[in-house]
Each structure stands twice: as C-alpha cells, then as structure tokens.
C-alpha cells in the first residue's frame, strides 16, 4: 500500500477548468446528504431542541404563578424536586422495569410463535397483536378497570385459589398499574422482536442442529443472539415511554403510590409550578439515559452489523 | 464388525456401505418429491446426485441429513438404521445450499461450532480449527464475520465447519451454485483434493452435468423423484439408456429406427449397426443415439466400410476455435449435430452433401 504514494500527484498538472468542474460536482455530491437532512433537522430544531432549551430555562426559574417567574439559575429546584419526589422516581423506574420484563416474557414467546409456527396465519396473528391499538389508549385502560374491579371475575378467581387474600383486591394496587403498562406496551415489545425473528434464515437453525445442537441449544446459540436487535429495540420502546407514563398509574394504580409522570402532569397542569415540573422532567430524562446507555452498550448490536 | 449377520453380507457386498436408502418416498401434499428411491453409496466415494431443478435432489439429501422424515422406506448409515433420528444424532454433516453461516459469529467460531457443542477442550478446538482453516486455505481470516467474506471464502468456511467434525459422510447441496464460472472450476478441483485428503464419502447435489462428471466417481441421475441412471461418468455418458439422460448429460443425436437383431433401419432405409453390448433387446421401434463428437464427416462416396453412415446436407457451419460444429439435415428432415476437431482444414460448406459416419460401438439405444 505504501508504495502507491510514490506516484506523485504533481505528475498530472491539472487543467484549471477541468478541476473546477470536478470540484463542483464533488462538492455537490457532498452537499446532498445535508440537504436530505434539512427537513428533519429543521423539524427537530423547531419542535424539539428549542422547547428543550426553553424547558431547561424554566427549570432554573424562581417565583410563583401569581407573581411571575424569573430566571435566576435556581439549581435548588432540582434538589428540592428530588428530595420531595425521589420515591416517585424510584417507583417509576421499578414499575416501568417490571412491566418491561413482563412484556418481554410475554412478547418473546408470542413473537416466536407467530414467526416460526404462524404459517399462513402469520399476518392474521400480527393484526390481532395490533388490534387493541384500534381502540383509544384511555378506553383500553378503562376497560382494565372493569376487568380488575373488586367485583370482577379476575379478582374472584384469584381469591378462590388463594393467590390474593379473601378481602384483597387488584385495582388500585401497584400491580394493577404494572399490568396496565405491560398490556399497553406489549405490541411495542412484540413487533420488533417478531421482525428480527422473522428475518432469521431457517437453514441457520438447521445448520445448528446439523452441528450437534438440540432444539434448546440451537435457540440459545443462534436464534436468541440473532433476535437481540429486536429485544433491544422492544425493551427500549417499552421502558422509555413506560417510565414517563401516568395514565396507567392514575387509572389503575394505588393513588398513594403514583409515578413520576403523575407528579409532572399535576405540577404542570394543576398546581402550575412550572420550574419544579421542568426540573422533574429533566431529571427523569437523565435517569433514563443513565439506564439506557449502559444497557445498549452491554447488549449492543454492533457485532451484528458487520 | 457384527456385519456377518446383516443383509449386505447376504447379498455378497464386500464394500462397506456409507449410505443406504431403500424404498424411500417423500410427499409434500400432492407432490411426490422423492419416489421410491433405492441407493447404495460406498465408503470413501465422491457421489453425485444430478438432475434438473425440482427433481428431488435436495429432498433426498435432507432425508439423509435428518431434516425431513421419509413417508416410506428406511435410511441406513454404515449399516445402522437412522430413519427418524434427529440431525444431531447422525454421523453426517451438511454444507447447505446457501452456506447458512452464522452471521453473528466470526469465522473461527463458525468453524468451532460443532466442537464446542461436543464440549471439546478449548486448546484442542484452537488446534483443530487452525488445521481446518489451513486445509481450506483460509489462514488469517479467523476473526472476520461471514458478511466480510467473498462467496468463495464463505463456501470454504461452510466446508470447514462441516469437515472439522470428522463426519463419516459429508452432504453438499449445490455448494458451488453461487460462484462464478472460474471460481467454480477452481473449487471443483479443490473439493476433489479435500475429499482425497480426508477420505470420507461426499454426497454432492448438483444440476450441472459437467460438475458431476468432473468430480464424481459415481453419478445418480434423477428425474421427477426417481433415479433414471446410475453409474460412473464414462459409463452413463457412453450408454445413457434413456432419452432423458442422453439429453441431460451433454448433447446427443437421437433417431427413430426399426430394430431387427443387431441392426436397425432408419426412415430412409439406411441400416445402422448396433453395438454388441446392446444386442439383448426386443425387436421393433426403438430410439438410437450417437454423441456429436463421435461422428465425422466425409464426402458421400468416401464413407469408410464397416462404419455407420447417414447421408445428409450441411445446413450450418460454426467455427468455435477448438472444434467446428455442423448442423446437418437428413433426407427425412431430422437435424443432426456433428462436432469435428480442427485437425485439418478440410471443411464442408453449407449446402454440400456429406456422409456422417461413426463406429457401431458408439451407437446407443435408449428407451
Ligand atoms: N417444504 C416443501 N413443501 C412443499 N413442497 C416441497 C418442499 N420442498 C420441496 N418441495 C417440492 O418437492 C420437489 C423437489 O424439490 P427439491 O427441493 O428436492 O428439488 P431439487 O432437485 O433440489 O431442485 P433444485 O435444483 O431447484 O434445488 C419440488 O417439486 C418442490 O416444489
Ligand atoms: Mg435443491
């Protein structure tokens, strides 16, 4: 390779016009990707970056709704918010994490069955997975309220087999909130996993079996690693929105054990304490990033790309 | 060996058999993919399953490998009945049609996959993978992912991944199908070399007759789920026995004739002598054939005595370089192709009358 440098560029004295033409077509080619980025970039700047900066500004303001807010680098908002609502943070992460795990445990076998055993019913089964999305989020969650009601059959059955106590209930407990989140985000878990499983060439599994793997080993050594991008995408698509969710906790969960999303919601819209709400939003964002970045690094998908 | 009591001994076969299929049938719905096939493949053979697309080659191979269960019949490997056993319970390995390399593993781990499953100690794995990469000439590629390899290199990895397990039979499903012509020729020689070196039975599926002829010592020609002809390359080329095999293995000139004993009469009354070996057979309407390269052209009056000869008119002449191809038309309107080596510059121009002649032993009769 190094010998190539021996042919000097000086050996070809370039005609001025020729290089100008070549250079302009080259720079045009270089500009195209940026031009393609432009619409999306403008959109992101207008509706994401600018509001984020504004929100960051708000989170450092002082004052009250009556007297107006002033920007004072009020870092104290953060520590105050975290002291007051630390429990909500931890609960949010816990609920969202549990729901993500449950959705994975339900969604993976579901996606696997559709991808490998669905046969000609595959598309029908996929539509069934998406079916709940045809009804509004709120309505679906309210329906769960009926299902989990104290007089409902679910509670009745669980009581009679002793899983919950005689006078125990499901509605207005943390578990009901987690169940609601799991249900509402199940499709976000199932679909990416299905896509990554569906892409797997069946002959890879046959090759594993040919090379002395039984079905279980073939799954562990081939199917599972190859479906990892789907698992990563599915868990992120569930975990991130679930951490900020407030509908499930409010409608199904224990009113004394709400999630951080409920606090932000009420600070913004009911108590009208913008700085605290903004500080909470930012803290949540950072907390999620602190969880997600190491996760993506650990189970990352780089080695699948090459 | 407790072989003394088994059927093979009774049949007087002394060569140990690597693979035996008896009466194997496989249906997919209404399609009979493999129709009552009986095959015996000896130890240390390069065996080719040759046939057109959809004739059931892959299905046959997959049944030997254990990926499909036959609807009828039994499969034995080295005398042991393996019908119904799972792929990982059979002493065979497969090189898949599309290679099926594991995309998430590098070359080393792909090749090591089988050994790892068998819990071979790590040091031995490293050593054996090294030897295998050496055998298939992929030294230094061990850290690459399959996606970073060329088609030929992937093919070698697939081969190494199967061979490292010392299978007693290696199954190859069109392993060279995805390669370009030049690489294919190289890999044919390479595969043959590796088979000689490791000394195990290769069962090689292909639809390329030239590939089968170059590499295999035994060829089974398949058609519509059945075996049409079985034998060594020369044997089945010289005496294809069926019009299908004659047409599939190279070109041939087929003619209708009326057989009487050791000779047949063509439509224009010409008498063609049949080979001694083909003497057994019923009289009446037959089809006989001769390969284009077995024929030569003379002026009509110069036909040598004792040779079979047909009078025809030259329709087209094409000079190929190593040979000249003549298209002839007989008096009853049939086309004949004759390939002549360019030994001298005696040419027959289009429109001239010639005698196409060949030796009686080069005639074959097809059913
Ligand atoms: N899984 C299957 N389901 C239904 N039909 C099948 C299946 N596998 C094969 N067949 C049918 O069985 C017949 C033989 O197929 P097979 O794959 O063995 O052919 P082949 O000789 O390997 O052809 P090719 O050279 O194209 O690979 C074909 O008609 C095919 O359509
Ligand atoms: Mg095939």
């Amino acid at each position: 390779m190094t010998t190539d440098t021996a042919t000097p560029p000086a050996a070809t004295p370039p005609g001025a016009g020729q290089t100008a033409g070549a250079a302009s077509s080259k720079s045009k080619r270089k500009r195209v990707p940026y031009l393609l980025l432009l619409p999306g970039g403008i959109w992101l700047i207008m509706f994401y970056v600018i509001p984020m900066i504004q929100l960051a500004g708000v989170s450092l303001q002082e004052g009250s709704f009556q007297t107006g807010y002033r920007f004072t680098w009020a870092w104290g908002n953060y520590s105050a918010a975290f002291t007051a609502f630390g429990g909500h943070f931890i609960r949010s992460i816990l609920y969202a994490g549990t729901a993500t795990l449950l959705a994975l445990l339900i969604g993976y076998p579901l996606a696997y069955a559709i991808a490998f055993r669905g046969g000609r019913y595959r598309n029908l089964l996929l539509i069934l997975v998406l079916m709940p999305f045809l009804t509004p989020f709120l309505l679906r969650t309210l329906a769960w309220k009926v299902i989990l009601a104290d007089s409902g059959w679910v509670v009745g059955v669980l009581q009679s087999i002793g899983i919950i106590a005689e006078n125990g209930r499901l509605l207005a407990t943390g578990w009901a909130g987690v169940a609601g989140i799991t249900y509402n985000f199940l499709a976000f878990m199932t679909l990416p996993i299905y896509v990554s499983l569906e892409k797997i060439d069946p002959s890879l599994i046959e090759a594993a079996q040919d090379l002395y793997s039984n079905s279980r080993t073939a799954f562990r050594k081939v199917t599972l690693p190859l479906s990892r991008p789907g698992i990563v995408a599915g868990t992120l698509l569930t975990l991130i929105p679930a951490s900020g969710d407030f509908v499930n906790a409010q409608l199904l969960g224990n009113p004394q054990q709400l999630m951080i999303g409920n606090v932000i919601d009420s600070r913004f819209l009911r108590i009208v304490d913008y700085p605290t709400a903004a500080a909470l939003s930012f803290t949540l964002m950072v907390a999620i990033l602190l969880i997600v970045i190491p996760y993506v690094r650990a189970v990352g998908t780089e080695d699948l790309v090459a | 060996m407790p072989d003394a009591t088994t059927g093979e001994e009774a049949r007087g076969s002394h060569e140990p058999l690597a693979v035996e299929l008896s009466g194997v049938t496989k249906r997919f719905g209404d399609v009979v993919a493999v129709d009552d096939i009986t095959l015996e493949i000896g130890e240390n053979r390069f065996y080719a399953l040759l046939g057109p697309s959809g004739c059931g080659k892959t299905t046959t191979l997959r049944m030997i490998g254990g990926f499909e269960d036959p609807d009828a019949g039994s499969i034995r490997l080295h005398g042991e009945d393996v019908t119904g056993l799972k792929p990982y319970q059979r002493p065979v390995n497969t090189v898949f049609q599309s290679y099926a390399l594991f995309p998430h593993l590098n070359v080393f781990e792909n090749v090591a996959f089988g050994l790892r499953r068998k819990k071979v100690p790590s040091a031995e794995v490293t050593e054996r993978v090294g030897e295998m990469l050496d055998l298939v000439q992929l030294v230094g590629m061990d850290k690459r992912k399959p996606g970073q390899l060329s088609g030929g290199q992937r093919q070698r990895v697939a081969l190494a991944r199967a061979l490292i397990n010392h299978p007693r039979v290696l199954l190859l499903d069109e392993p060279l199908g995805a390669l370009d012509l030049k690489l294919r020729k190289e890999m044919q020689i390479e595969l043959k070399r590796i088979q000689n070196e490791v000394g195990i039975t290769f069962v090689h599926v292909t639809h390329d007759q030239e590939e089968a002829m170059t590499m295999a010592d035994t060829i089974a020609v398949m058609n519509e789920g059945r075996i049409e002809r079985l034998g060594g390359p020369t044997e089945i080329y010289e005496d294809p026995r069926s019009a299908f095999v004659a047409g599939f293995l190279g070109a041939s000139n087929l003619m209708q004739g009326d057989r009487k004993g050791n000779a047949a009469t063509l439509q224009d009354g010409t008498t063609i002598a049949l080979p001694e070996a083909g003497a057994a057979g019923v009289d009446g309407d037959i089809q006989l054939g001769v390969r284009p390269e077995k024929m030569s052209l003379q002026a009509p009056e110069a036909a040598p005595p004792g040779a079979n000869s047909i009078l025809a008119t030259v329709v087209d002449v094409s000079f190929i370089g190593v040979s000249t191809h003549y298209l002839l038309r007989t008096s009853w309107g049939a086309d004949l192709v004759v390939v002549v080596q360019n030994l001298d510059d005696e040419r027959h121009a289009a429109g001239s009358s010639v005698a196409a002649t060949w030796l009686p032993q080069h005639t074959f009769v097809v059913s």
Side-chain angles (χ1 to χ4, degrees):
Chain A
M1 281 295 132
T2 47
T3 53
D4 287 352
T5 52
T7 46
T12 50
Q18 196 189 339
T19 26
S24 92
S25 91
K26 203 177 209 174
S27 74
K28 205 183 242 166
R29 214 176 310 147
K30 268 192 183 160
R31 272 208 306 272
V32 168
Y34 296 107
L35 285 174
L36 290 173
L37 277 176
L38 209 58
I42 291 175
W43 180 272
L44 276 180
I45 288 169
M46 299 258 296
F47 298 106
Y48 186 74
V49 177
I50 294 176
M52 282 299 273
I53 293 169
Q54 269 173 354
L55 196 66
V58 170
S59 77
L60 297 171
Q61 285 175 348
E62 243 176 328
S64 71
F65 184 61
Q66 284 77 22
T67 60
Y69 297 104
R70 273 178 315 109
F71 184 82
T72 58
W73 292 106
W75 290 108
N77 287 340
Y78 281 85
S79 52
F82 197 78
T83 324
F85 302 109
H88 289 80
F89 268 112
I90 292 170
R91 192 175 305 123
S92 292
I93 305 286
L94 221 62
Y95 281 11
T98 312
T100 305
L101 200 68
L102 286 175
L104 180 64
L105 290 179
I106 300 168
Y108 198 100
L110 184 61
Y112 186 93
I114 298 174
F116 292 119
R117 305 271 183 273
R120 60 205 172 95
Y121 297 112
R122 262 191 196 185
N123 289 334
L124 183 71
L125 292 168
L126 279 180
I127 290 171
L128 286 180
V129 170
L130 284 171
M131 201 70 113
F133 283 80
L134 299 179
T135 53
F137 188 63
L138 213 58
L139 220 62
R140 272 182 277 149
T141 313
L142 284 170
W144 270 72
K145 217 173 161 129
V146 177
I147 296 171
L148 299 180
D150 295 344
S151 54
W153 63 271
V154 177
V155 171
V157 169
L158 290 180
Q159 275 173 345
S160 66
I161 58 174
I163 287 190
I164 54 178
E166 202 60 43
N167 56 351
R169 54 188 313 210
L170 280 178
L171 199 62
T173 64
W175 283 110
V178 169
I181 298 174
T182 308
Y183 164 72
N184 274 313
F185 289 99
L186 188 58
F188 292 110
M189 182 65 87
T190 310
L191 291 182
I193 295 176
Y194 169 80
V195 169
S196 64
L197 285 173
E198 196 259 351
K199 273 197 311 204
I200 297 177
D201 181 353
S203 68
L204 291 179
I205 292 150
E206 291 187 342
Q209 291 178 339
D210 186 61
L211 298 163
Y212 317 113
S213 309
N214 55 27
S215 311
R216 191 154 3 124
T217 317
F219 174 77
R220 217 159 38 82
K221 291 292 173 187
V222 179
T223 314
L224 190 59
L226 287 177
S227 61
R228 215 165 51 181
I231 298 177
V232 172
T235 46
L236 292 183
L237 282 175
T238 307
L239 182 72
I240 295 172
S243 319
D245 178 76
F246 58 94
V247 176
N248 288 286
Q250 191 178 324
L251 295 182
L252 304 173
N254 183 337
Q256 264 72 57
Q257 297 176 357
L258 291 175
M259 293 171 70
I260 199 66
N262 302 95
V263 179
I264 296 173
D265 172 51
S266 79
R267 287 282 138 172
F268 259 120
L269 300 178
R270 278 184 276 281
I271 305 174
V272 215
D273 175 5
Y274 293 143
T276 306
L280 285 171
S281 303
F282 262 88
T283 314
L284 178 63
M285 215 171 75
V286 172
I288 291 175
L289 282 178
L290 284 180
I291 295 171
V292 164
I293 291 173
Y295 169 68
V296 171
R297 289 199 148 194
V299 295
T301 56
E302 308 84 9
D303 56 328
L304 284 175
V305 181
Chain B
M1 296 276 275
D3 261 2
T5 53
T6 61
E8 301 89 72
E9 281 299 309
R11 283 201 306 274
S13 151
H14 295 294
E15 191 183 32
L17 290 173
V19 182
E20 274 172 281
L21 304 185
S22 40
V24 169
T25 299
K26 178 73 188 173
R27 288 182 209 92
F28 294 108
D30 293 340
V31 183
V32 184
V34 172
D35 190 3
D36 193 20
I37 278 190
T38 297
L39 259 189
E40 296 185 343
I41 304 177
E43 203 73 80
N44 203 354
R45 284 306 176 85
F46 204 119
Y47 201 94
L49 283 178
L50 174 68
S53 186
C55 71
K57 307 180 295 287
T58 297
T59 308
T60 307
L61 204 71
R62 286 172 61 82
M63 286 192 288
I64 302 174
F67 301 109
E68 306 280 3
D69 281 325
D71 293 319
S74 73
I75 299 167
R76 296 160 79 86
L77 296 172
H78 301 96
E80 190 190 338
D81 194 333
V82 297
T83 325
L85 287 191
K86 294 263 188 275
Y88 56 85
Q89 295 166 322
R90 302 186 182 204
V92 300
N93 287 106
T94 308
V95 175
F96 289 84
Q97 195 157 7
S98 52
Y99 310 145
L101 299 180
F102 303 121
H104 58 299
L105 300 178
N106 63 24
V107 168
F108 185 96
E109 286 304 326
N110 262 284
V111 176
F113 196 92
L115 298 184
R116 296 251 193 253
R117 300 290 82 71
K118 284 182 157 176
K119 307 263 184 297
V120 174
S122 185
E124 190 188 333
V125 171
T126 312
E127 190 191 319
R128 278 170 67 180
V129 172
E131 281 169 18
M132 209 30 86
L133 291 180
D134 198 32
L135 178 75
V136 299
Q137 301 176 352
L138 277 180
V139 177
M141 301 273 187
D142 48 349
K143 290 287 172 290
R144 295 221 200 154
K145 288 281 169 62
Q148 300 166 312
L149 299 175
S150 73
Q153 290 166 339
R154 277 180 220 176
Q155 208 278 324
R156 287 159 200 262
V157 176
L159 194 63
R161 185 178 70 172
L163 280 176
I164 197 168
N165 306 294
H166 300 316
R168 299 183 64 183
V169 179
L170 184 71
L171 308 175
L172 304 107
D173 192 357
E174 306 217 15
L176 310 179
L179 307 180
D180 66 47
L181 193 63
K182 185 167 169 289
L183 198 54
R184 202 141 108 194
K185 298 267 180 234
E186 281 171 28
M187 284 306 298
Q188 287 175 3
I189 296 166
E190 184 82 8
L191 268 182
K192 191 78 195 148
R193 169 184 75 81
I194 290 170
Q195 195 258 338
N196 273 330
E197 212 158 306
V198 295
I200 59 173
T201 299
F202 278 33
V203 182
H204 181 110
V205 160
T206 178
H207 62 253
D208 180 343
Q209 52 105 2
E210 212 177 298
E211 185 174 300
M213 304 268 252
T214 318
M215 300 168 77
D217 39 47
T218 313
I219 300 176
V221 184
M222 288 185 68
N223 186 26
E224 293 179 353
R226 297 177 156 276
I227 291 181
E228 285 254 349
R229 184 80 170 94
L230 189 96
T234 331
E235 181 189 351
I236 64 174
Y237 182 80
E238 302 295 350
D239 186 13
R241 292 204 194 150
S242 77
F244 172 80
V245 178
F248 197 74
L249 286 181
S252 55
N253 294 306
L254 295 181
M255 291 162 267
Q256 296 294 335
D258 182 23
R259 177 179 194 159
K260 202 164 257 147
N262 218 4
T265 315
L266 300 181
Q267 264 138 298
D268 67 345
T270 314
T271 301
I272 302 291
L274 299 179
E276 311 274 311
V282 280
D283 287 357
D285 278 349
I286 57 157
Q287 238 187 345
L288 54 90
V290 57
R291 299 282 182 190
E293 76 281 1
K294 297 279 164 47
M295 301 169 94
S296 59
L297 296 183
Q298 278 87 28
E301 61 282 359
N308 285 328
S309 172
I310 297 179
L311 293 178
T313 314
V314 176
V315 177
D316 189 45
V317 185
S318 33
F319 178 71
I320 307 290
V322 290
S323 58
T324 302
H325 292 203
Y326 288 92
L327 180 64
L328 312 182
R329 187 148 302 147
T330 61
S331 60
W332 65 94
D335 285 342
L336 294 180
V337 176
V338 178
V339 175
V340 180
Q341 296 292 308
N342 292 319
L343 295 176
D344 46 35
D345 38 24
E346 185 203 358
R347 293 272 163 72
H348 301 273
S352 58
S353 291
V354 290
T357 59
W358 71 94
L359 295 174
Q361 64 263 36
H362 289 149
T363 317
F364 55 82
V365 177
V366 300
S367 52

